[in-house]
Amino acid sequence: MSEAPTKRARRPSGGRESLLETAVGEFIARGYDATSMEDLSRAAGITKSSFYHHFTGKEALLRAALERAVDGLFGVLDLPGARDGAPAERLRTIVREQVRVLTTELPYVTLLLRVRGNTETERWALERRRAFDAEITGLVREAVEAGEVQAGIDPALAARLLSGLVNSIVEWYRPGRPGTATLPEDVVAATFTGIVPAP
Amino acid sequence: MSEAPTKRARRPSGGRESLLETAVGEFIARGYDATSMEDLSRAAGITKSSFYHHFTGKEALLRAALERAVDGLFGVLDLPGARDGAPAERLRTIVREQVRVLTTELPYVTLLLRVRGNTETERWALERRRAFDAEITGLVREAVEAGEVQAGIDPALAARLLSGLVNSIVEWYRPGRPGTATLPEDVVAATFTGIVPAP
């Protein structure tokens, strides 16, 4: 921020992927609206025109970053274990793999979860998030109807709480922390038997 | 935003409380950093100097708003049902009453959960949030040690997931929605028996 303008190349400025990674880091740290192409070029250690060679602008970067998160999440719904079998089992697969995507694509998913709908790209991303949540709600409903899940709680509420539980992980998760390896299964257990279940 | 400068008094400009409410709404909509005293005066329909009569500045408003949220949360820990009895029962009371505070003090808690630590007041609020979470972690640990809760999941992780589940409610909760009355008990059930428990 108070960096001297001559100090460049804070990070190696690989290709498109590395620029995207840098941009996502800046968007998360400063907020998308408050980040300029100037800021991004400085953070990436390249000139603005080099940046424009890879991306047409700030919204294109946002779009690419959000697409990566959205593709990751919808990829989970396409896994065989998420498509075939009993609804509760499919839900179990989805929760586990959603946690995995969230941890491996952490900055991209974090950005997706911060989107508020101020631009066309953000509205698109919100719509995709809603579509994902609707799939989960539908699956909870199927599981209730199949008698695999207790019907005590409204499926839409269950889907919201589930999404809240899973998504909150981005707030504290950092790669390599102890307990990382078992996190997907721990979240599955919390979902199906309780966060603090009776013994 | 594109309001003509002559159009004032969008809302009744009661006393301190009403100004605080207006300010919190603006902070949430625009972000704290992006909101000026100018914006706040316009939203409240009063002059800047009238605003300064009630609050010394933007950070004083933030502080008052965050104190309200923090006082609400810590008030839960002081309830008789949260202080006396078996750890799991105390936890049950806290979850239920925390959801209640969150829904009755929605904008204040929403603001608290968005704090990132950019100012002294924000760092204070983050410290209070951490202190609250530490109380919950301690209580989960006690419940595990007393054999009231399954020891399968790390107490710190359980407390994080619990906090994530509860706090995520601010993202979608709106007063008067169907299911509002049973929400505290539904969240308790989700916490202790699972969001989608087996029948």
Side-chain angles (χ1 to χ4, degrees), chain B residues 46-60:
Chain B
I46 61 173
T47 63
K48 243 164 82 171
S49 72
S50 305
F51 218 121
Y52 280 114
H53 176 73
H54 291 278
F55 291 93
T56 57
K58 213 173 82 161
E59 191 157 354

Side-chain angles (χ1 to χ4, degrees), chain B residues 23 27 34 46 48 54 105 140 178 190 192:
Chain B
F27 290 159
I46 61 173
K48 243 164 82 171
H54 291 278
E105 303 289 339
V140 172
F192 286 88

